[in-house]
Amino acid sequence: MFSGSLVAIVTPMRADGAVDFEAWARLLDFHAGNGTAGIVVGGTTGESATLEDAELRELLLRACQQLRGRLPVIAGGGTSSTASTVERVAWLTELPIDGVLLVTPAYNRPSQEGLYRHFAAAAAAARKPVLLYNVPARTAVDLKPATVARLARVAGIVGIKEAVGEVARVRELVGLLPEGFVVLSGDDATARASIAAGARGVISVTANAAPRAMSEMLAAARRGDAARAAELDAPLGGLHRQLFVETNPIPVKWLLAQLGMIEAGIRLPLTPLAAEHHAELLAVARTAGVLE
């Protein structure tokens, strides 16, 4: 279920910051028709930090109803409090979703033992599969491979999105973890190499704008056709880079607005993409085949 090119989908918003559910429906159809292998709703790229629980619930329910099993739907659900994460996981996994993605607690910087207990408690409350999410650049804490190996023995925890962006980390995880435990890249720029190191897929930002290209590139990488994967990834390289020229999801939401897929809405404290980056992002989007 959790393999290939999954999208960390943006939350479309109107100019006043309200969720745009008409655009949401368009985005879901866009991904279902262009090779995306799964949808992560309310993750970092979906502006999880400013989404209300009621909004996340509505986004998920609409996605499940519209997609009707065509794609797995995964909910972003982690918080910096174990108690609130447990509470959130309990109601999220009562929805008709396929799994939850739980990020490491941000700001309070728990120890490895604290991380283990946090995720074990969340898994005990979950009624659906749990994916761990390690992104130390945002959370200021690194879920170490040895701790992931401990967590892999906890019932209900089935995989990890690893966003360290180092192929050596993916290789270390794959070597430590039991067969069947899913490792997904959380870094588009190294996703192809991560597949060669044993990852099963990527949870992608680039796929928001280039789902078909990401899907085809990942498919080539997964079948072991390194030359074809490299050929397909080459035009995407600039997009991988420029979509992080400012904090994600600022650049990708701006690009999707230029493509006419969403309005330009984004919630403070995030702000629209600075004008100095517009030309370069449009240029790499053309190279990637996203724009004419």
Side-chain angles (χ1 to χ4, degrees):
M1 181 187 301
F2 307 125
S3 63
S5 177
L6 297 86
V7 65
I9 196 168
V10 301
T11 301
M13 297 171 183
R14 301 192 185 279
D16 63 0
V19 176
D20 184 347
F21 289 108
E22 292 181 7
W24 183 239
R26 292 196 301 272
L27 290 179
L28 294 173
D29 280 343
F30 176 62
H31 286 288
N34 282 282
T36 293
I39 307 283
V40 176
V41 180
T44 303
T45 310
E47 294 174 80
S48 56
T50 58
L51 277 184
E52 301 292 337
D53 282 355
E55 293 171 325
L56 177 59
R57 181 190 294 270
E58 186 68 14
L59 287 162
L60 288 164
L61 288 173
R62 287 178 182 241
C64 291
Q65 181 178 28
Q66 183 171 336
L67 294 171
R68 296 185 181 278
R70 289 181 290 166
L71 298 177
V73 176
I74 304 162
T79 76
S80 293
S81 159
T82 301
S84 67
T85 298
V86 166
E87 180 182 0
R88 206 167 196 228
V89 163
W91 69 258
L92 280 171
T93 56
E94 289 177 353
L95 303 178
I97 62 173
D98 298 285
V100 289
L101 179 70
L102 302 182
V103 70
T104 50
Y107 188 75
N108 45 15
R109 300 183 69 188
S111 67
Q112 295 300 301
E113 181 64 22
L115 290 169
Y116 174 82
R117 295 187 188 188
H118 172 85
F119 287 118
R127 296 170 178 82
K128 300 286 173 65
V130 172
L131 294 167
L132 311 172
Y133 178 18
N134 187 42
V135 57
R138 282 192 180 257
T139 65
V141 63
D142 187 5
L143 183 64
K144 299 293 187 181
T147 307
V148 179
R150 288 181 69 196
L151 287 164
R153 298 192 293 269
V154 174
I157 299 178
V158 303
I160 182 170
K161 174 186 177 181
E162 177 54 76
V164 165
E166 297 173 0
V167 176
R169 170 62 67 92
V170 171
R171 191 174 294 111
E172 183 179 3
L173 284 168
V174 170
L176 283 173
L177 296 169
E179 186 176 357
F181 194 86
V182 176
V183 177
L184 298 170
S185 170
D187 179 65
D188 284 306
T190 57
R192 174 170 54 88
S194 293
I195 296 295
R200 294 194 190 180
V202 63
I203 297 179
S204 170
V205 175
T206 299
N208 277 281
R212 177 65 63 185
M214 284 297 296
S215 175
E216 291 175 353
M217 185 272 286
L218 263 289
R222 293 190 71 220
R223 67 176 179 261
D225 190 344
R228 179 59 175 158
E231 180 184 7
L232 291 168
D233 201 25
L236 297 171
L239 205 54
H240 298 331
R241 182 184 66 253
Q242 288 299 120
L243 288 179
F244 290 88
V245 71
E246 287 189 16
T247 302
N248 178 47
I250 289 171
V252 73
K253 291 194 86 173
W254 182 86
L255 179 58
L256 291 174
Q258 305 313 298
L259 296 173
M261 298 179 68
I262 64 173
E263 293 187 24
I266 196 164
R267 287 182 179 171
L268 287 169
L270 299 184
T271 53
L273 183 68
E276 65 194 81
H277 302 303
H278 292 185
E280 181 62 21
L281 184 47
L282 291 173
V284 298
R286 291 188 184 97
T287 299
V290 171
L291 282 172
E292 295 292 335

